[in-house]
Amino acid sequence: AASLPCDRIHYAAFPTIRVQQPSELSTIRPHFDGMYGLQAGSINVWLPLTPLHPTATLIIESSPGAEDFHPLLSSPHTPEALSDDESRKQSPQEMFLFNGRDCIHYTIPNQSGQTRVSLDFRIVPGSLFDASNRLSKLGYFSSAIRSVNGAFVKESHGKISKLHGMPHSLSPELECNDYRRTG
């Protein structure tokens, strides 16, 4: 967060925890978060807590509409690097930031034999924050300001709601203008 080029950030008041057990079914359908009213300028933060595998990870496209889907992995995911099961397992050592508001992302059936656990949440740099956005008005975001020493300090606390959790317990109500895909 210290490298963010802003003095204020808004972030989901509570992260979502995701558990992807080995299964023949995927756990997250293809979507982009703008479908759910997430405001422009939002950045998805995805933090795996267990080792990653090409089938136990998040699949994303590189830019809106590119449809060049690839798994998020900690090291290069070339066919050569993925040639055997040992090289396919990745350590949970990095946090991923991506444009999930506009880029399609999803999971595929986890065939790794291991349960994958991750946290995800959304942040919005202060200058891009829209207080009139539906999620903002519902109290989805907390905020933090940059202190004199460069660290972010909590400024306000959002509300925990049906839009947070493991995964969301209820589907958010959508308005026609909330799910326009930009790009």
Side-chain angles (χ1 to χ4, degrees):
S3 64
L4 286 172
C6 59
D7 291 325
R8 174 173 281 123
I9 59 171
H10 301 267
Y11 56 95
F14 190 78
T16 299
I17 185 168
R18 311 249 184 212
V19 178
Q20 184 187 19
Q21 296 179 333
S23 173
E24 295 297 317
L25 304 172
S26 60
T27 56
I28 300 174
R29 68 181 175 89
H31 71 284
F32 54 96
D33 293 350
M35 293 169 56
Y36 306 114
L38 193 65
Q39 64 180 304
S42 299
I43 301 166
N44 285 46
V45 179
W46 187 68
L47 177 62
L49 301 176
T50 54
L52 300 177
H53 180 276
T55 66
T57 186
L58 195 60
I59 309 295
I60 66 168
E61 64 180 338
S62 64
S63 61
E67 298 184 9
D68 57 347
F69 302 106
H70 62 278
L72 288 179
L73 298 170
S74 303
S75 64
H77 45 273
T78 61
E80 297 77 28
L82 302 176
S83 61
D84 62 61
D85 283 341
E86 285 311 304
S87 66
R88 294 168 73 118
K89 295 180 182 175
Q90 306 294 318
S91 298
Q93 297 175 357
E94 60 184 290
M95 176 170 41
F96 297 89
L97 283 71
F98 66 99
N99 178 3
R101 188 216 182 253
D102 299 314
C103 291
I104 294 174
H105 51 287
Y106 59 95
T107 62
I108 58 176
N110 177 357
Q111 298 181 356
S112 71
Q114 303 292 317
T115 297
R116 193 255 307 150
V117 180
S118 62
L119 295 176
D120 61 82
F121 56 95
R122 314 304 176 262
I123 62 173
V124 182
S127 62
L128 300 175
F129 185 71
D130 177 5
S132 68
N133 175 270
R134 182 180 65 86
L135 295 179
S136 301
K137 290 195 270 185
L138 290 172
Y140 178 83
F141 294 100
S142 294
S143 66
I145 56 172
R146 192 182 299 276
S147 68
V148 212
N149 69 2
F152 281 98
V153 178
K154 185 180 277 191
E155 176 182 47
S156 68
H157 188 71
K159 302 174 196 170
I160 296 174
S161 73
K162 66 183 181 181
L163 303 174
H164 299 93
M166 180 185 158
H168 319 303
S169 56
L170 298 172
S171 297
E173 295 175 18
L174 298 177
E175 296 176 19
C176 290
N177 294 334
D178 285 342
Y179 55 91
R180 281 188 232 139
R181 183 171 180 165
T182 60

